[in-house]
Amino acid sequence: MQLKETHSLLDSMGQTMVNTVKWGIASSVMNTFTGSIQNAYNYVKVLDSSLNDIRIVTGQSREEMDRFADSANKAAQNLGRQTKDYTNAALSFYQQGLSDDEVAARTETTLKAANITGAGVSDIADQLTAVWNGFQVSLTDTENVVSKLAAVADTSASDMSELATAMSKTASVANNMGVDVDQLTAQVATIIATTRQAP
């Protein structure tokens, strides 16, 4: 009788353990699923807000914004970034009154620079904007300037983020004094490498 009662108790405990494990797994899956839905909702909300801001700034129609969103998604995927990174950078360039082609060129170059430096897209967009505007860089030269910064950073004791930060503060004055972008890049890289002061 005692053996039967012990066996029954063990069976009951075993079933309780199995049910507890099943409940834990189900709960974990449900929490992950719910969290994923919440993250997706927040992402779409931020992306929609960014697209809406672009639409307000540019005055584009709903159809034009749908085409822009599609091209932004493809461009962001090609650059290994999220679509909202692309739209946030594009917004800052649209706010400067640039054309669609200029916005696309500068946005793609900004995302590439952000990938290289690891800096936030907004920060690098602001820094590069100051450099591009300070030297009045044309649409065809936007990526060329960033390539120069990357090349100098690669061969000196400074990184691209430091160069972009320092040049964002000095580009306009340097250009007015006749110092071109190549000279300023070399000077800033030398100063940073020698002094290791903050850019």
Side-chain angles (χ1 to χ4, degrees), residues 21-192:
V21 169
K22 285 181 183 177
W23 183 85
I25 291 171
S27 175
S28 175
V29 168
M30 194 58 154
N31 286 339
T32 302
F33 179 71
T34 305
S36 296
I37 289 175
Q38 183 66 37
N39 289 341
Y41 172 76
N42 290 337
Y43 178 82
V44 168
K45 189 175 168 184
V46 169
L47 179 60
D48 187 55
S49 174
S50 181
L51 288 170
N52 189 50
D53 290 345
I54 291 172
R55 185 174 179 197
I56 290 168
V57 169
T58 62
Q60 292 184 9
S61 68
R62 184 75 172 161
E63 294 77 26
E64 290 172 318
M65 283 311 300
D66 287 342
R67 285 193 296 275
F68 173 79
D70 186 49
S71 66
N73 186 41
K74 289 176 184 171
Q77 285 179 353
N78 289 338
L79 295 167
R81 301 297 295 208
Q82 294 183 337
T83 306
K84 69 177 182 176
D85 292 336
Y86 188 97
T87 58
N88 287 339
L91 175 61
S92 71
F93 297 125
Y94 273 123
Q95 288 171 333
Q96 297 172 33
L98 301 176
S99 70
D100 290 341
D101 291 338
E102 290 172 316
V103 167
R106 287 190 175 197
T107 299
E108 288 187 23
T109 303
T110 298
L111 293 183
K112 289 176 186 176
N115 286 344
I116 292 169
T117 63
V121 172
S122 296
D123 292 337
I124 202 74
D126 290 343
Q127 294 164 354
L128 292 178
T129 294
V131 173
W132 288 326
N133 291 347
F135 284 105
Q136 296 150 3
V137 175
S138 68
L139 170 63
T140 56
D141 286 335
T142 54
E143 190 161 343
N144 188 30
V145 169
V146 174
S147 294
K148 289 177 182 180
L149 291 177
V152 170
D154 193 40
T155 58
S156 68
S158 59
D159 65 37
M160 189 172 156
S161 184
E162 290 176 320
L163 292 174
T165 300
M167 291 178 69
S168 70
K169 310 289 185 207
T170 57
S172 182
V173 173
N175 190 37
N176 286 337
M177 295 179 67
V179 177
D180 66 27
V181 69
D182 296 336
Q183 293 168 326
L184 182 61
T185 304
Q187 291 170 0
V188 167
T190 303
I191 292 167
I192 289 173

Side-chain angles (χ1 to χ4, degrees), residues 10-27:
L10 288 175
D11 284 346
S12 176
M13 287 175 58
Q15 190 60 43
T16 302
M17 289 292 285
V18 168
N19 288 341
T20 302
V21 169
K22 285 181 183 177
W23 183 85
I25 291 171
S27 175

